[in-house]
Amino acid sequence: WALLRDIFGKSVPPDTDESVAAFVRRKFSDQLLDRLVGPFVSGVYAGDPEKLSMRSAFPQLHEAEKALGSIVRGMLRLAKSKKGPRERPTLNTFRDGNETFVRALANQLGSSVLTKTSAMNIYRQNDGSFQVALDGSGNESISAKSVIFAAPTDVTGKLLAQLNPSFESLLTSVEYAAVVVVSLGYRKIDVGHRLDGFGFLVPRSSGLRVLGTVWNSSLFPGRAPEGQVLLTTFVGGATDPSAATLKSEELSSLVHREIGPVLSIKASPTFSNVTIWPRALPQYNLGHGERLAAIAGNLARFPGLFLTGNYLRGPAIGSCVEQALAVAEEVRMQLER
Ligand SMILES: Cc1cc2nc3c(=O)[nH]c(=O)nc-3n(C[C@H](O)[C@H](O)[C@H](O)COP(=O)(O)OP(=O)(O)OC[C@H]3O[C@@H](n4cnc5c(N)ncnc54)[C@H](O)[C@@H]3O)c2cc1C
């Protein structure tokens, strides 16, 4: 009924920033929030729908309602307006982990990139260019007309505070959620479930602490030895920050205890690996849009300074790459001026 009301009716988003939870309750139902949107938000942002800003976290849905008064009609129009052949999204990974990508970039760039080097300080010189003090590469500093900051907000905030102190308070006010990744291996014969799919996400109302599990060895070859399976489970996120303070053994037994009944697992894991990411994902919480606008306002006073990263226009790797390419283009245009 709520879907029909959206398709045939007309609604107007509030002028003020609205949380994802408030949006779903206003347009649809509590049940949709618990069963579908909440778990989806965990999967993308490890976020809390009560705190995430609808217009910052899901700008296309916000714009769809604003333009046409309907999410469904707005999204259909957006899909039609996209030119060129429609690409089906595919799942991709690197056999030896994401580091493969970074190594390939470093190899391709050769000596023009300084790896294992940290930016320590930045100064503006009299001619408007920047001097960046370095640690690690043997070079003490480099001078540049343009500088792109691609580090997380805490690092970028501290560095930019040397140019204008308000950068630090604005950038560090972006909250991050901690995420724990627990990888458990099992003998295939000990897992009752067929694992024929992607995995599952867990509604918070279930009382479980796991956010979701990806059936890694079903998705990608070479993820587990013959006769074994690898299950990657996420715990923590913005709705359960204390999970990241547990010990590794506690986390792997918690995950085994919780996913065991869901997947009919009959024996203990044969392999376990726990990684805690204390600042895993930036949260596009209420007020995020205003924070970014204030940061952009500050940045405008320093021609040649650019920002990119997962706290700006989407946390997925694809969004980060798109953003980085757009910033590189801006820099190219600026240097050609
Ligand atoms: C557990 C987990 C699972 C995820 N799964 C997926 C997924 O399946 N699909 C997906 O699309 N996205 C996923 N993401 C999100 C995605 O991986 C990140 O949002 C994205 O990689 C962030 O890219 P970034 O360039 O903004 O930041 P980062 O990749 O964090 O890069 C920042 C860089 O800045 C460097 N740096 C820091 N300080 C300095 C300094 N002083 N000087 C110089 N350099 C510095 C760091 O070394 C780092 O290399 C996941 C994230 C997490 C935490």
Side-chain angles (χ1 to χ4, degrees), residues 180-200 210-220 222-225 227-235 251-275:
V180 183
V181 182
V182 180
S183 304
L184 297 181
Y186 293 94
R187 293 192 313 163
K188 212 176 207 162
I189 49 164
D190 292 331
V191 180
H193 195 283
R194 293 209 311 275
L195 304 179
D196 49 350
F198 184 93
F200 59 86
V210 303
L211 298 172
T213 298
V214 175
W215 302 334
N216 227 313
S217 50
S218 301
L219 297 176
F220 304 112
R223 284 291 180 241
Q228 305 260 335
V229 297
L230 179 68
L231 307 176
T232 304
T233 299
F234 300 89
V235 190
L251 286 157
S252 51
S253 40
L254 178 148
V255 168
H256 173 66
R257 205 169 52 242
E258 291 197 352
I259 67 169
V262 180
L263 299 174
S264 310
I265 297 173
K266 298 184 276 291
S268 302
T270 52
F271 166 87
S272 163
N273 186 68
V274 176
T275 311

Side-chain angles (χ1 to χ4, degrees), residues 117-119 150-152 155 159 179 181 234 277 280-281 309-310 315-318 320:
T117 303
S118 296
V155 176
L159 287 167
V179 173
V181 182
F234 300 89
W277 300 96
L281 285 161
N310 61 357
I317 292 174
C320 294

Side-chain angles (χ1 to χ4, degrees), residues 2-21:
L3 196 64
L4 288 177
R5 199 175 55 206
D6 176 69
I7 295 171
F8 296 109
K10 194 166 167 56
S11 60
V12 181
D15 291 335
T16 52
D17 209 355
E18 184 180 36
S19 74
V20 170

